[in-house]
Amino acid sequence: MGVFVFVVVIVCVFGGVHYYLWRRLVRDVSARGSRYRRVGTGLAVLLPVLAVAAQLVGRSGLPFTVQRIIAWPGYLWFAVLVYLLLTLLALEPLRPLARRLLRRRDGARSGEAQEAVPAVAPERVTVPEGAGRDGGEHPPATPPAPASAATPDPAPPPAPPSRRLFVARAAAATAGVVAAGTVGYGTYSVLGIGPRLKRVTVPLAKLPRGAHGYRIAVVSDIHLGPILGRAHTQRIVDVINRVNADAVAIVGDLVDGSVADLGADAEPLAGLRSRDGAYFVTGNHEYYTGHREWVEYVRELGVRPLENERLELPAFDLAGVNDVAGEDYGDGPDFAAALKDRDPKRASVLLAHQPVLIHEAVEHGVDLQLSGHTHGGQMWPGTYLAALANPTLAGLDRYKDTQLYVTRGAGTWGPPVRVGAEPDITVVELAASA
């Protein structure tokens, strides 16, 4: 019952938003029966259907090519929808003000036009002396011009649009430009520029001096799927290989699809190079698309999964826990298993997809947790919502004696758009105490 109520609420909100957009972008700016009105109304029905279909198509079993065809317009419309809505809502208080200013301007122009019209003096007619109403002499009358010589009245100029219509069209055009520009920039940030390389130094009190400067390339939320594919993976691998890291950590949400559909897109991961190898922990999205198959597949690519387990590297312990979403599949995080028999005098680094696991990491004496999941909010103003849902949105933070670093991730979920949360790959450099 609760799920049904939730779905009904979401449908009502989504439908209400699109009705509002239809009013502001279609009905208020066009005439009834016009081509613009017909096309706009059709799109107001089609685009929300595509947006919903894009969310559901991954689990529909449809051919992957069909999924791609639906995903592109559906997800991009969702991004455009967000910024159209925000811009139109921001302009709402300005509409009556703009109409009032236009009314004053038109009134001022009307007054100036009336003052500019010169007064016409009455024509004086001189009657000759001796002329009278009794048939006397009269000045000759001017014969009327022939009808064929009469000058036709010029056609009246078309009436300008009303103030309300002018303001509505100006607001619609502004919202369209802002939304298109924002989404265009956000899409180029992902598909054009790609993930930025960041560097952060993290001091660890227990790290041996000989391991000072140890570098871990951290990447998360690659999100291979209907939109991001093999070229996206290859670019990430190229960036990581250029830094010559000591180890590579893939911190969950590698894929949004099955091995059958995306296995070839993930193949470039076999080319990752680092001194101590590449490691992987599951994210919540792996559990939506067959996590067991993906764990075994990345192993075949030469990337070692850490499933609630620990590995002793020469300078510190590297551990990994499964994602929280695995609890619904009997495969959730197990800190006791991952950290059992650990020497507490050795530094420990934990890979955990979601930052919310930091509190358990603190209880188990972990020195550093590396996470992703948040995307940094991905699209402003979603950054504020993501900040409320996570203890740390992005960057380095400290919780008692445990430090937490959260990467914004290298890909996107849903729209291939990032605004105010650029994608990144981070080189975490460990520093020994002075």
Side-chain angles (χ1 to χ4, degrees), residues 220-430:
S220 181
D221 302 280
I222 296 174
H223 283 290
L224 299 177
I227 293 180
L228 300 176
R230 187 183 181 96
H232 177 60
T233 312
Q234 187 62 60
R235 178 161 55 180
I236 291 170
V237 171
D238 292 342
V239 171
I240 292 175
N241 287 345
R242 281 198 293 268
V243 302
N244 296 316
D246 297 298
V248 178
I250 303 173
V251 198
D253 278 6
L254 171 63
V255 292
D256 285 314
S258 66
V259 172
D261 290 332
L262 298 172
D265 293 339
E267 281 181 354
L269 294 177
L272 285 169
R273 296 192 305 269
S274 63
R275 187 184 69 182
D276 292 331
Y279 304 91
F280 168 76
V281 292
T282 55
N284 52 305
H285 281 249
E286 273 74 52
Y287 290 94
Y288 306 151
T289 55
H291 69 285
R292 291 303 333 155
E293 292 182 352
W294 277 111
V295 166
E296 295 307 317
Y297 187 71
V298 297
R299 195 190 306 274
E300 294 175 8
L301 295 176
V303 179
R304 176 170 175 173
L306 293 176
E307 299 183 271
N308 295 325
E309 58 183 313
R310 175 176 56 88
L311 177 67
E312 291 186 3
L313 296 179
F316 61 92
D317 290 345
L318 180 66
V321 292
N322 298 342
D323 187 67
V324 177
E327 294 176 348
D328 295 335
Y329 301 83
D331 194 40
D334 189 337
F335 279 79
L339 301 171
K340 69 179 179 180
D341 302 327
R342 181 176 70 86
D343 182 356
K345 296 180 181 180
R346 283 172 56 88
S348 58
V349 176
L350 175 73
L351 309 183
H353 177 62
Q354 298 196 38
V356 294
L357 292 175
I358 183 61
H359 305 296
E360 291 187 65
V362 171
E363 293 177 2
H364 287 83
V366 170
D367 296 296
L368 171 64
Q369 176 178 317
L370 301 176
S371 298
H373 182 65
T374 69
H375 296 206
Q378 186 164 324
M379 294 194 312
W380 183 92
T383 48
Y384 299 113
L385 297 177
L388 292 174
N390 294 278
T392 296
L393 179 65
L396 185 64
D397 212 341
R398 175 179 287 275
Y399 295 82
K400 296 184 178 179
D401 293 331
T402 301
Q403 296 182 82
L404 169 65
Y405 180 77
V406 181
T407 171
R408 289 187 175 93
T412 61
W413 177 79
V417 178
R418 280 181 176 259
V419 178
E422 289 75 14
D424 67 56
I425 297 170
T426 304
V427 176
V428 175
E429 184 171 324
L430 306 182

Side-chain angles (χ1 to χ4, degrees), residues 141-198:
T142 302
S148 59
T151 303
D153 294 334
S162 67
R163 286 185 288 267
R164 183 178 296 275
L165 180 60
F166 176 81
V167 170
R169 288 178 174 175
T174 301
V177 170
V178 170
T182 304
V183 173
Y185 161 78
T187 303
Y188 180 71
S189 177
V190 175
L191 303 180
I193 301 175
R196 287 71 164 171
L197 185 64
K198 297 180 61 177

